[in-house]
């Protein structure tokens, strides 16, 4: 029970990696608050995990929405031990010159500005608990990705921000880390793979980029996140943890 009695707020927790993290955190003993805009998915999630946990309809790009959500967490649990900034989008799939200003701003708002907002409103409670912050980054932050310029830029900024936050909040005993997955089978990736001309070839490609030989599901990321949020990682801060089965090494099977 690595997270026994901890209150963890996670953005984008209704599906994909976030959903796997929610399940893992609960299994490890935490009470979990999910901030998401997918109301149907959140209703199904709460039906599955039970009323001890909380799902809040929250647009993590809106100051008023995040402020209200954090107040609801305080009113319900009286404390916050960790914030996992997981909400993210990968679109548009374009080079920089083809990306519109609106597309650029949207991805930066979801992937980056949301971290500012959760930190701004959650920090007073993390100071009280000497808690921690975890950001979901990506392997592409360090190696790039074809036709995803805005996404790569946003995740590169997440890595840099993670290190800056770790330095700023260390005096309060608040740890700040990030995880950097490579390919992970989520509904978004499954949809993308199904749209490709040769689905079987794409699935083989996704297996092959990982040195360990397969493209994983979200549970492998969730296990790493559980560790980083636990006291087992009490002397780790400012770390970008690769969870890519060796994909970050650049080798191919």
């Amino acid at each position: 029970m690595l997270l026994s009695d901890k209150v963890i707020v996670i953005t984008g927790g209704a599906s994909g990696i976030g959903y796997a993290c929610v399940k893992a955190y609960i299994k490890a003993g935490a009470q979990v608050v999910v901030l998401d805009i997918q109301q149907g998915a959140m209703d199904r999630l709460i039906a599955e995990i039970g009323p001890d946990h909380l799902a809040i309809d929250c647009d993590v790009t809106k100051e008023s929405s995040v402020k209200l959500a954090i107040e609801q967490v305080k009113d319900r649990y009286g404390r916050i031990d960790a914030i996992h900034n997981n909400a993210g989008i990968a679109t548009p799939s374009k080079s920089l010159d083809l990306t519109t200003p609106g597309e650029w701003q949207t991805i930066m708002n979801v992937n980056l500005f949301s971290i500012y907002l959760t930190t701004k409103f959650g920090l007073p409670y993390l100071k009280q608990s000497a808690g921690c912050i975890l950001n979901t980054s990506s392997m592409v932050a360090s190696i790039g990705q074809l036709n995803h310029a805005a996404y790569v830029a946003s995740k590169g900024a997440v890595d840099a921000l993670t290190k800056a936050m770790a330095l700023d909040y260390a005096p309060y005993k608040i740890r700040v880390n990030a995880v950097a997955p490579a390919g992970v089978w989520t509904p978004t990736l499954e949809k993308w793979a199904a749209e490709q001309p040769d689905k079987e070839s794409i699935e083989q490609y996704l297996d092959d980029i990982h040195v360990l030989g397969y493209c994983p599901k979200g549970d492998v990321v969730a296990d790493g996140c559980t560790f980083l949020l636990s006291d087992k990682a009490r002397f780790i801060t400012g770390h970008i943890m690769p969870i890519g089965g060796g994909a970050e090494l650049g080798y191919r099977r």
Side-chain angles (χ1 to χ4, degrees):
M1 303 293 281
L2 288 178
L3 304 177
S4 181
D5 298 323
K6 292 186 182 294
V7 176
I8 299 176
V9 177
I10 178 171
T11 66
S15 63
I17 290 173
Y19 170 80
C21 287
V22 168
K23 298 295 292 296
Y25 297 162
I26 292 172
K27 184 177 180 180
Q31 292 176 303
V32 179
V33 180
V34 178
L35 309 187
D36 210 309
I37 58 173
Q38 303 176 81
Q39 190 60 56
M42 286 199 295
D43 289 343
R44 291 189 293 272
L45 178 63
I46 287 296
E48 179 181 356
I49 64 179
D52 288 341
H53 311 281
L54 187 62
I56 301 174
D57 184 2
C58 176
D59 183 343
V60 294
T61 71
K62 304 296 184 185
E63 183 172 359
S64 59
S65 187
V66 175
K67 183 176 186 290
L68 178 60
I70 295 298
E71 289 174 351
Q72 289 179 260
V73 179
K74 179 201 66 173
D75 291 343
R76 172 74 175 266
Y77 299 104
R79 61 183 290 126
I80 297 175
D81 297 286
I83 295 175
H84 181 178
N85 295 296
N86 174 75
I89 57 174
T91 54
S93 178
K94 296 178 180 180
S95 61
L96 185 62
D97 60 298
L98 298 178
T99 303
T100 69
E103 290 169 336
W104 175 273
Q105 195 60 58
T106 296
I107 202 167
M108 292 299 169
N109 282 344
V110 176
N111 294 3
L112 193 59
F113 185 58
S114 62
I115 298 176
Y116 163 75
L117 291 176
T118 60
T119 302
K120 176 179 179 178
F121 295 112
L123 188 64
Y125 307 106
L126 295 177
K127 287 180 178 179
Q128 292 172 7
S129 64
C132 54
I133 297 171
L134 181 63
N135 300 322
T136 298
S137 184
S138 170
M139 184 186 73
V140 305
S142 59
I143 69 168
Q145 184 179 18
L146 181 68
N147 288 327
H148 283 82
Y151 177 68
V152 171
S154 72
K155 293 302 184 179
V158 169
D159 283 5
L161 181 60
T162 297
K163 295 175 183 180
M165 291 167 66
L167 293 170
D168 286 340
Y169 303 137
Y172 307 105
K173 309 302 180 185
I174 296 171
R175 299 183 298 106
V176 186
N177 294 294
V179 290
V184 180
W185 282 116
T186 63
T188 298
L189 185 61
E190 290 169 0
K191 180 177 182 295
W192 175 83
E195 292 169 350
Q196 303 311 303
D198 187 348
K199 184 174 184 291
E200 291 184 1
S201 174
I202 289 296
E203 291 181 356
Q204 187 63 52
Y205 164 77
L206 290 169
D207 286 342
D208 288 347
I209 66 172
H210 301 85
V211 174
L212 293 180
Y214 66 97
C215 183
K217 294 183 179 179
D219 62 306
V220 300
V221 182
D223 286 345
C225 293
T226 300
F227 166 73
L228 286 173
L229 292 181
S230 77
D231 292 339
K232 295 290 185 182
R234 62 190 176 276
F235 207 62
I236 300 174
T237 195
H239 178 53
I240 315 299
M241 177 186 281
I243 308 182
E248 67 278 359
L249 300 174
Y251 294 101
R252 298 292 183 268
R253 289 176 64 87

